[in-house]
Amino acid sequence: MALYAMTGGATGIGAELRQQLTARGDQVISVDIKEGDVIADLSTAEGRAAAVAGVTELAPDGLDGFIACAGLPPIARPLSLIAQVNYFAVVATVEGLKDLVAKRRGSVLIVSSNSAPMMSADDPFVTACLAGDEAAACAAVEERDGHVAYAGSKRAIVAWMRRNVVAYAKAGVRMNAVAPGITQTPLAESVFEDEELGQSMRDFQASVPWGGMAKPAHIANVMRFMLSEEADFVCGSVFFVDGGSDAMMRNDQF
Ligand code: NAI
């Protein structure tokens, strides 16, 4: 029986993964702003510290894995909230729980998005995130739009993961990311209903090569594998689970 901690386990992809893991007998410590074993608002430094402290108290002997799944959609406001939850909270919780995961030679899994490659690594918002300057990143993103905030935060977190893979592996932590396409969750529903972004989301969905939209289980199935012993040599990977959209958009890059 494995012991995992995760953020964003209350709804959507996180809730599905939590259910899959507990159904087979694993234990999951769920950190969320809505409901869970540890209630914390990850947009704030206090909330991140409470999340790390809460998980540490519940898992003194270490974790087999930590899944950073909590995220906000491009329609969230203010835009700085997206940077805080999708990037800075992920870095803070992964760093804060690294030693607990290393105790069991476990794995960290970050939930990015297939929108991440739509942003350049040189974008000023992305570089401010990667510089670890939360105030500068939040100020930079307020002058942009929801797409930049969302895709930029997801681009930055993958770059952060890749830059830290060697140090984490040497410390005994296998770190990876999953990049879902549009998935039927409350987050996606909120974007579909948005006046500004709803139509472009519907157009994007219509272009998915494999057709349709992912169900949370499509993403959780892959995440469960990436966390498992069977994926023991998977390290530093970004696994696109998006019905072929990323391959369609940038077929020569991988
Ligand atoms: P969701 O809205 O169902 O779940 C997000 C979870 O994060 C919720 O449980 C929510 O309470 C929690 N959360 C939000 N703000 C928080 C905060 N300040 N502190 C603590 N917890 C907070 O969304 P979904 O779709 O399941 O998203 C999960 C992850 O997947 C997110 O990182 C999202 O960006 C990513 N993703 C989702 C896609 C989709 O189409 N649904 C596509 C690509 C990536």
Side-chain angles (χ1 to χ4, degrees), residues 8-14 32-34 40-43 69-72 85 111-113 150 154 180-183 185-188:
T11 61
I13 295 167
D32 205 281
I33 196 169
K34 289 183 187 146
D41 177 357
L42 295 168
S43 68
C69 188
L72 288 173
V85 175
V111 181
S112 179
S113 159
Y150 186 79
K154 296 297 188 180
I182 301 175
T183 308
T185 69
L187 181 149

Short mmCIF file of all heavy atoms in Angstrom, two decimals, residues 8-14 32-34 40-43 69-72 85 111-113 150 154 180-183 185-188, ligand 1:
data_model
loop_
_atom_site.label_atom_id
_atom_site.label_comp_id
_atom_site.label_asym_id
_atom_site.label_seq_id
_atom_site.Cartn_x
_atom_site.Cartn_y
_atom_site.Cartn_z
N GLY A 8 -5.37 19.64 -5.08
CA GLY A 8 -6.43 19.64 -6.10
C GLY A 8 -7.19 18.34 -6.18
O GLY A 8 -7.69 17.97 -7.26
N GLY A 9 -7.31 17.65 -5.05
CA GLY A 9 -8.00 16.36 -5.07
C GLY A 9 -9.51 16.45 -4.89
O GLY A 9 -10.19 15.44 -4.88
N ALA A 10 -10.05 17.66 -4.79
CA ALA A 10 -11.49 17.79 -4.49
C ALA A 10 -12.36 17.53 -5.72
O ALA A 10 -13.45 16.96 -5.60
CB ALA A 10 -11.78 19.18 -3.92
N THR A 11 -11.92 17.97 -6.89
CA THR A 11 -12.76 17.81 -8.09
C THR A 11 -11.89 17.44 -9.30
O THR A 11 -10.66 17.45 -9.25
CB THR A 11 -13.52 19.11 -8.44
OG1 THR A 11 -12.57 20.15 -8.70
CG2 THR A 11 -14.45 19.55 -7.33
N GLY A 12 -12.57 17.12 -10.39
CA GLY A 12 -11.91 16.94 -11.69
C GLY A 12 -10.88 15.82 -11.74
O GLY A 12 -11.09 14.74 -11.19
N ILE A 13 -9.77 16.12 -12.38
CA ILE A 13 -8.72 15.11 -12.60
C ILE A 13 -8.17 14.61 -11.26
O ILE A 13 -7.96 13.40 -11.07
CB ILE A 13 -7.58 15.73 -13.46
CG1 ILE A 13 -8.09 16.08 -14.86
CG2 ILE A 13 -6.39 14.78 -13.54
CD1 ILE A 13 -7.15 16.96 -15.68
N GLY A 14 -7.95 15.53 -10.33
CA GLY A 14 -7.41 15.15 -9.04
C GLY A 14 -8.33 14.21 -8.28
O GLY A 14 -7.89 13.22 -7.68
N ASP A 32 -6.56 20.79 -0.41
CA ASP A 32 -7.39 21.57 -1.33
C ASP A 32 -7.98 22.76 -0.59
O ASP A 32 -8.05 22.77 0.63
CB ASP A 32 -8.52 20.70 -1.90
CG ASP A 32 -9.02 21.20 -3.24
OD1 ASP A 32 -9.81 22.18 -3.25
OD2 ASP A 32 -8.64 20.65 -4.28
N ILE A 33 -8.41 23.72 -1.36
CA ILE A 33 -9.06 24.89 -0.75
C ILE A 33 -10.51 24.58 -0.37
O ILE A 33 -11.08 25.21 0.51
CB ILE A 33 -9.00 26.10 -1.72
CG1 ILE A 33 -9.30 27.41 -1.00
CG2 ILE A 33 -9.91 25.91 -2.93
CD1 ILE A 33 -9.01 28.66 -1.84
N LYS A 34 -11.10 23.55 -1.04
CA LYS A 34 -12.52 23.26 -0.84
C LYS A 34 -12.74 22.22 0.25
O LYS A 34 -13.44 22.46 1.22
CB LYS A 34 -13.12 22.72 -2.14
CG LYS A 34 -13.27 23.75 -3.23
CD LYS A 34 -13.94 23.13 -4.44
CE LYS A 34 -13.96 24.08 -5.62
NZ LYS A 34 -13.83 23.37 -6.90
N ALA A 40 -6.18 24.28 2.52
CA ALA A 40 -5.20 25.35 2.38
C ALA A 40 -5.45 26.11 1.09
O ALA A 40 -5.78 25.52 0.06
CB ALA A 40 -3.78 24.76 2.36
N ASP A 41 -5.28 27.41 1.17
CA ASP A 41 -5.37 28.26 -0.02
C ASP A 41 -3.95 28.41 -0.57
O ASP A 41 -3.13 29.16 -0.03
CB ASP A 41 -5.96 29.63 0.34
CG ASP A 41 -6.00 30.56 -0.86
OD1 ASP A 41 -5.53 30.17 -1.95
OD2 ASP A 41 -6.51 31.69 -0.72
N LEU A 42 -3.68 27.70 -1.65
CA LEU A 42 -2.32 27.63 -2.18
C LEU A 42 -1.89 28.91 -2.90
O LEU A 42 -0.74 29.01 -3.33
CB LEU A 42 -2.19 26.43 -3.12
CG LEU A 42 -2.35 25.08 -2.43
CD1 LEU A 42 -2.50 23.96 -3.46
CD2 LEU A 42 -1.16 24.78 -1.52
N SER A 43 -2.81 29.86 -3.02
CA SER A 43 -2.40 31.11 -3.66
C SER A 43 -1.54 31.96 -2.73
O SER A 43 -0.89 32.90 -3.16
CB SER A 43 -3.62 31.91 -4.14
OG SER A 43 -4.34 32.39 -3.02
N CYS A 69 -1.61 18.92 -8.49
CA CYS A 69 -2.70 18.93 -9.49
C CYS A 69 -3.55 20.19 -9.43
O CYS A 69 -4.16 20.57 -10.42
CB CYS A 69 -3.58 17.69 -9.27
SG CYS A 69 -4.81 17.43 -10.55
N ALA A 70 -3.58 20.88 -8.28
CA ALA A 70 -4.45 22.06 -8.16
C ALA A 70 -4.09 23.07 -9.24
O ALA A 70 -2.91 23.30 -9.54
CB ALA A 70 -4.30 22.69 -6.78
N GLY A 71 -5.10 23.67 -9.83
CA GLY A 71 -4.85 24.66 -10.86
C GLY A 71 -6.07 25.52 -11.10
O GLY A 71 -7.19 25.15 -10.75
N LEU A 72 -5.84 26.69 -11.66
CA LEU A 72 -6.93 27.61 -12.01
C LEU A 72 -6.97 27.81 -13.52
O LEU A 72 -5.93 27.80 -14.18
CB LEU A 72 -6.71 28.95 -11.30
CG LEU A 72 -6.96 28.95 -9.79
CD1 LEU A 72 -6.55 30.29 -9.19
CD2 LEU A 72 -8.42 28.65 -9.46
N VAL A 85 -1.21 30.13 -8.17
CA VAL A 85 -1.64 28.74 -7.94
C VAL A 85 -0.96 27.78 -8.91
O VAL A 85 -0.47 26.71 -8.53
CB VAL A 85 -3.18 28.63 -8.03
CG1 VAL A 85 -3.63 27.17 -7.92
CG2 VAL A 85 -3.83 29.47 -6.95
N VAL A 111 1.04 18.52 -12.79
CA VAL A 111 0.04 18.60 -13.86
C VAL A 111 0.22 19.92 -14.61
O VAL A 111 -0.04 21.00 -14.07
CB VAL A 111 -1.39 18.47 -13.30
CG1 VAL A 111 -2.40 18.54 -14.46
CG2 VAL A 111 -1.55 17.16 -12.55
N SER A 112 0.72 19.82 -15.83
CA SER A 112 0.87 20.99 -16.69
C SER A 112 -0.33 21.02 -17.64
O SER A 112 -1.46 20.77 -17.23
CB SER A 112 2.21 20.92 -17.43
OG SER A 112 2.35 22.02 -18.29
N SER A 113 -0.09 21.30 -18.91
CA SER A 113 -1.18 21.38 -19.89
C SER A 113 -0.57 21.32 -21.27
O SER A 113 0.58 21.75 -21.48
CB SER A 113 -1.92 22.71 -19.71
OG SER A 113 -2.64 23.06 -20.88
N TYR A 150 -2.35 31.47 -18.15
CA TYR A 150 -2.53 30.01 -18.00
C TYR A 150 -1.41 29.25 -18.70
O TYR A 150 -0.68 28.47 -18.07
CB TYR A 150 -3.89 29.59 -18.56
CG TYR A 150 -4.19 28.13 -18.30
CD1 TYR A 150 -4.62 27.71 -17.03
CD2 TYR A 150 -4.03 27.18 -19.29
CE1 TYR A 150 -4.88 26.37 -16.78
CE2 TYR A 150 -4.27 25.83 -19.04
CZ TYR A 150 -4.70 25.44 -17.79
OH TYR A 150 -4.94 24.10 -17.53
N LYS A 154 1.89 27.24 -17.08
CA LYS A 154 2.08 25.82 -17.36
C LYS A 154 3.40 25.57 -18.10
O LYS A 154 4.03 24.53 -17.94
CB LYS A 154 0.89 25.28 -18.18
CG LYS A 154 -0.44 25.32 -17.44
CD LYS A 154 -0.45 24.44 -16.20
CE LYS A 154 -1.83 24.32 -15.58
NZ LYS A 154 -1.82 23.47 -14.38
N PRO A 180 -2.22 17.39 -20.00
CA PRO A 180 -3.53 17.00 -20.55
C PRO A 180 -4.02 17.99 -21.61
O PRO A 180 -3.67 19.18 -21.58
CB PRO A 180 -4.47 17.07 -19.32
CG PRO A 180 -3.60 17.25 -18.12
CD PRO A 180 -2.33 17.87 -18.61
N GLY A 181 -4.84 17.47 -22.51
CA GLY A 181 -5.63 18.34 -23.38
C GLY A 181 -6.94 18.64 -22.68
O GLY A 181 -7.11 18.35 -21.48
N ILE A 182 -7.89 19.19 -23.43
CA ILE A 182 -9.17 19.57 -22.80
C ILE A 182 -9.82 18.34 -22.17
O ILE A 182 -10.01 17.31 -22.82
CB ILE A 182 -10.15 20.18 -23.82
CG1 ILE A 182 -9.55 21.43 -24.46
CG2 ILE A 182 -11.47 20.55 -23.14
CD1 ILE A 182 -10.40 22.02 -25.57
N THR A 183 -10.14 18.47 -20.89
CA THR A 183 -10.66 17.35 -20.11
C THR A 183 -11.95 17.80 -19.43
O THR A 183 -12.04 18.92 -18.92
CB THR A 183 -9.63 16.93 -19.04
OG1 THR A 183 -8.37 16.72 -19.68
CG2 THR A 183 -10.04 15.66 -18.33
N THR A 185 -14.04 18.57 -16.97
CA THR A 185 -13.99 18.84 -15.52
C THR A 185 -14.67 20.20 -15.27
O THR A 185 -14.91 20.96 -16.21
CB THR A 185 -12.54 18.95 -15.02
OG1 THR A 185 -11.97 20.15 -15.55
CG2 THR A 185 -11.69 17.76 -15.39
N PRO A 186 -14.91 20.53 -14.00
CA PRO A 186 -15.47 21.87 -13.71
C PRO A 186 -14.61 22.99 -14.30
O PRO A 186 -15.14 24.01 -14.75
CB PRO A 186 -15.47 21.90 -12.18
CG PRO A 186 -15.58 20.47 -11.76
CD PRO A 186 -14.82 19.69 -12.79
N LEU A 187 -13.28 22.80 -14.30
CA LEU A 187 -12.40 23.84 -14.87
C LEU A 187 -12.70 24.07 -16.35
O LEU A 187 -12.91 25.20 -16.80
CB LEU A 187 -10.93 23.43 -14.66
CG LEU A 187 -9.83 24.36 -15.15
CD1 LEU A 187 -8.58 24.23 -14.26
CD2 LEU A 187 -9.45 24.09 -16.60
N ALA A 188 -12.77 22.97 -17.11
CA ALA A 188 -13.04 23.11 -18.55
C ALA A 188 -14.44 23.66 -18.79
O ALA A 188 -14.65 24.52 -19.66
CB ALA A 188 -12.86 21.76 -19.25
P1 NAI B 1 -10.85 21.39 -11.31
O1 NAI B 1 -11.26 22.81 -11.20
O2 NAI B 1 -11.88 20.34 -11.33
O3 NAI B 1 -9.84 21.04 -10.11
C1 NAI B 1 -8.90 21.95 -9.64
C2 NAI B 1 -8.70 21.70 -8.16
O4 NAI B 1 -7.76 22.68 -7.68
C3 NAI B 1 -9.98 21.87 -7.34
O5 NAI B 1 -10.10 20.80 -6.43
C4 NAI B 1 -9.79 23.19 -6.65
O6 NAI B 1 -10.49 23.31 -5.43
C5 NAI B 1 -8.27 23.22 -6.46
N1 NAI B 1 -7.79 24.58 -6.25
C6 NAI B 1 -8.01 25.66 -7.03
N2 NAI B 1 -7.49 26.76 -6.47
C7 NAI B 1 -6.90 26.36 -5.31
C8 NAI B 1 -6.20 27.04 -4.28
N3 NAI B 1 -6.02 28.38 -4.31
N4 NAI B 1 -5.74 26.32 -3.23
C9 NAI B 1 -5.95 24.99 -3.16
N5 NAI B 1 -6.62 24.29 -4.11
C10 NAI B 1 -7.09 24.97 -5.16
O7 NAI B 1 -9.91 21.33 -12.56
P2 NAI B 1 -9.20 20.13 -13.36
O8 NAI B 1 -9.56 20.31 -14.75
O9 NAI B 1 -9.38 18.83 -12.70
O10 NAI B 1 -7.69 20.61 -13.22
C11 NAI B 1 -6.67 19.85 -12.60
C12 NAI B 1 -5.36 20.27 -13.21
O11 NAI B 1 -5.34 19.90 -14.58
C13 NAI B 1 -5.12 21.79 -13.19
O12 NAI B 1 -3.77 22.04 -12.86
C14 NAI B 1 -5.42 22.20 -14.61
O13 NAI B 1 -4.74 23.37 -14.98
C15 NAI B 1 -4.93 20.98 -15.37
N6 NAI B 1 -5.47 20.86 -16.72
C16 NAI B 1 -6.83 20.76 -16.93
C17 NAI B 1 -7.32 20.67 -18.21
C18 NAI B 1 -8.79 20.59 -18.49
O14 NAI B 1 -9.18 20.76 -19.66
N7 NAI B 1 -9.62 20.30 -17.51
C19 NAI B 1 -6.42 20.67 -19.38
C20 NAI B 1 -5.03 20.77 -19.05
C21 NAI B 1 -4.58 20.85 -17.76
#
